[in-house]
Amino acid sequence: MKNRGKCLLLMSVLLFLASLIGIFFDRLNWSDTHMVLVYLLAVLLTSTWSKGYIYGILASVVATFLFNYLFTAPYYTLSVYDSRYFVTFVVMLLTAIITSTLTSKIQISTAQAKNNEEHMKTLYTLTNHLSDVLDDQTLGKEVIRILSQFFHCQIELIFFGNKDNVKMSGDINNIKVDKFDNKEYMLKFKNIQTSYLCIESQCHYPLYGIKKILGVLILPEEVIKTMGDQKKELLLSMIENISLSLEHINAIEEQLSLKEETVKERYRSNLLRAISHDLRTPLTSISGNASNLISNGGSFDDSTKKQLYTDIYDDSMWLINL
């Protein structure tokens, strides 16, 4: 209502000024062409400074009647004695309407271009920030910050990790992280036919990976309903970028896990080799001394036997201590 009142006031002021200028030209006995051009300028400015077609077209009609009322005989009436003025009226009205329409189209195109620029800038910012993220917690904070600023609403994220599912929620200044575990919730996204599910006045967008669902992006349903087609397409592009970043993070985590397992296996093999070497030496001594006692125990004197028993005992205690 405020914008409509401002546009009508602007149109009235411009047409009033055009009429004053036309009266001044009429006092100077200038031709009617000058008045027509002044009114066309007023219509053009109305179309440029107001939004929509209606104000420019309305200004065109009013300007035609004002020209007839003020500058054609008989003056200060809407009657016309000279039929040639009808051609002037028609040309003036058509010119004004065409000018107003073209100006409005330029305004619409300019506004769309600005929206597209803003959308592409936001998408670039999101992609640029997520390209350097190496863990899902940092990714979640960046996604919540950027999307909250752009859509002006609270954003929530759920990550389906390998161990514990994590739910992140909050706005720009406050981010809350909770553990989340609900198998039935995950099953709802297996066979969905749309890009999101509506659950308790919220729209849940799944973040698909190559093999599984990596997470869910949650926005208020009222925000989605008020979005235009361009914003919805932008949101889907954002979701695709978030999914790719999550997939990249998961791939890095899997590689690190495999590398860690490889290192553990190598350490274990080295440890077993070291232990087997340390075990083999005393065991060889024990088994050799025991074999001598079994095979040749009767031929050994007491001191030799005692020495063999001592060696077996010492090696056994060394193994126990090891």
Side-chain angles (χ1 to χ4, degrees):
M1 292 299 292
K2 291 183 179 180
N3 290 332
R4 185 180 302 175
K6 289 181 180 179
C7 291
L8 290 174
L9 178 61
L10 173 67
M11 181 191 72
S12 301
V13 171
L14 290 174
L15 292 176
F16 177 74
L17 292 176
S19 300
L20 290 180
I21 296 173
I23 293 172
F24 175 73
F25 289 166
D26 187 54
R27 296 290 176 86
L28 296 176
N29 294 321
W30 288 10
S31 65
D32 296 339
T33 306
H34 297 87
M35 292 77 157
V36 172
L37 292 176
V38 171
Y39 278 118
L40 287 177
L41 178 60
V43 173
L44 178 61
L45 293 177
T46 301
S47 301
T48 303
W49 294 340
S50 61
K51 294 182 179 180
Y53 296 89
I54 185 170
Y55 300 105
I57 295 175
L58 181 60
S60 304
V61 175
V62 174
T64 304
F65 281 108
L66 285 174
F67 177 76
N68 180 27
Y69 185 80
L70 295 174
F71 304 111
T72 60
Y75 297 105
Y76 310 118
T77 67
L78 296 178
S79 301
V80 180
Y81 287 162
D82 192 346
S83 60
R84 288 176 298 178
Y85 276 115
F86 283 108
V87 178
T88 303
F89 296 155
V90 172
V91 172
M92 178 180 173
L93 181 61
L94 290 177
T95 304
I97 290 175
I98 292 172
T99 303
S100 173
T101 303
L102 292 177
T103 304
S104 298
K105 285 184 177 180
I106 292 173
Q107 282 184 330
I108 294 173
S109 299
T110 303
Q112 289 178 347
K114 288 183 178 179
N115 287 335
N116 291 336
E117 180 183 0
E118 182 183 359
H119 293 173
M120 293 304 297
K121 184 178 179 180
T122 303
L123 185 60
Y124 171 77
T125 302
L126 178 67
T127 305
N128 190 36
H129 280 74
L130 296 186
S131 62
D132 299 327
V133 174
L134 298 178
D135 63 277
D136 53 8
Q137 294 289 314
T138 305
L139 180 139
K141 292 179 180 180
E142 288 296 321
V143 169
I144 289 176
R145 182 181 65 83
I146 295 174
L147 269 65
S148 296
Q149 288 178 340
F150 184 76
F151 294 110
H152 304 290
C153 66
Q154 181 166 322
I155 305 297
E156 294 184 0
L157 270 173
I158 296 176
F159 296 127
F160 297 142
N162 295 326
K163 296 180 180 179
D164 295 323
N165 298 330
V166 176
K167 181 177 182 180
M168 304 184 68
S169 61
D171 52 23
I172 304 171
N173 300 316
N174 180 26
I175 295 178
K176 182 180 179 182
V177 180
D178 296 323
K179 296 295 182 181
F180 180 84
D181 186 11
N182 192 337
K183 294 182 179 180
E184 294 182 1
Y185 174 76
M186 295 177 64
L187 292 175
K188 292 180 180 179
F189 296 96
K190 280 198 170 181
N191 299 313
I192 63 171
Q193 302 297 323
T194 58
S195 58
Y196 64 89
L197 283 179
C198 285
I199 304 174
E200 297 180 355
S201 300
Q202 289 181 319
C203 293
H204 298 239
Y205 287 86
L207 305 173
Y208 290 105
I210 298 177
K211 299 179 181 179
K212 61 179 183 179
I213 297 178
L214 305 175
V216 178
L217 179 69
I218 305 173
L219 286 84
E221 186 177 5
E222 58 182 8
V223 174
I224 302 300
K225 288 183 177 180
T226 56
M227 278 186 190
D229 293 336
Q230 288 185 333
K231 269 198 171 182
K232 289 181 180 179
E233 291 178 3
L234 175 64
L235 176 60
L236 294 178
S237 299
M238 289 178 170
I239 289 173
E240 184 176 353
N241 284 341
I242 296 170
S243 300
L244 290 174
S245 298
L246 274 177
E247 186 71 30
H248 177 65
I249 290 172
N250 285 354
I252 292 176
E253 289 179 351
E254 288 181 1
Q255 290 178 356
L256 291 176
S257 178
L258 290 174
K259 185 176 181 180
E260 184 179 354
E261 290 296 326
T262 302
V263 172
K264 286 182 179 180
E265 183 65 27
R266 185 168 67 249
Y267 285 156
R268 187 177 67 173
S269 299
N270 292 336
L271 179 61
L272 288 176
R273 280 195 295 270
I275 291 176
S276 63
H277 177 270
D278 290 339
L279 292 176
R280 189 177 293 111
T281 300
L283 285 175
T284 302
S285 175
I286 291 173
S287 62
N289 290 332
S291 177
N292 286 331
L293 288 172
I294 294 173
S295 302
N296 305 312
S299 60
F300 292 149
D301 55 19
D302 292 340
S303 61
T304 302
K305 289 181 181 180
K306 185 176 181 180
Q307 183 62 44
L308 292 175
Y309 293 146
T310 302
D311 291 341
I312 291 174
Y313 177 80
D314 291 340
D315 288 337
S316 300
M317 293 304 299
W318 187 91
L319 285 176
I320 291 173
N321 292 328
L322 178 63

